[in-house]
Amino acid sequence: MEIQRLVLPGPAPTPQDTARLCERLARLYADGAAAVVCDAGPVTAPDLAVVELLARLRLTARGRGGLTVTGASPPLRALLDLVGLVELLGEAEEREPPVRVQEGIEPDDLAL
């Protein structure tokens, strides 16, 4: 089982890059890659096109192996967090407390 590496082009990938990288990722899995590490370090101008690229890569990887993004700049991290793809970074995201946790109720609290 082998971990492969896929490097995103910078400063910002184009739609042509998206198709090419998805094909490359599919080939890596077909050739026996157990997981792929996607290096986003070269991306210095993150925008929604980068988000689309990473979402498409995630869909391409689904059911074939793991995909983790490394080297993401703070602006790219913030953008991925905003659109709900922060789990690609392999980091735990902050979540709401579990549903069954009850807050204390004070006698003076007004009913909603």
Side-chain angles (χ1 to χ4, degrees):
M1 298 272 191
E2 197 174 323
I3 296 177
Q4 294 290 329
R5 185 178 158 125
L6 186 68
V7 180
L8 300 183
T14 65
Q16 294 81 12
D17 293 325
T18 299
R20 182 180 55 80
L21 290 168
C22 286
E23 289 174 14
R24 173 81 175 119
L25 181 61
R27 264 187 271 121
L28 288 172
Y29 287 123
D31 291 342
V36 175
V37 174
C38 182
D39 183 1
V43 177
T44 57
D47 57 10
L48 290 178
V50 176
V51 171
E52 180 182 2
L53 167 62
L54 291 172
R56 288 182 181 269
L57 288 173
R58 180 182 185 196
L59 288 173
T60 301
R62 183 177 285 166
R64 297 180 178 178
L67 178 69
T68 303
V69 177
T70 61
S73 64
L76 179 55
R77 288 172 181 273
L79 192 55
L80 290 174
D81 188 35
L82 180 68
V83 298
L85 291 174
V86 74
E87 71 272 3
L88 284 174
L89 300 174
E91 302 170 354
E93 60 181 301
E94 292 183 23
R95 297 186 178 258
E96 292 290 321
V99 177
R100 294 190 178 123
V101 173
Q102 294 182 349
E103 294 181 17
I105 299 174
E106 299 293 325
D108 299 338
D109 285 348
L110 296 174
L112 297 178

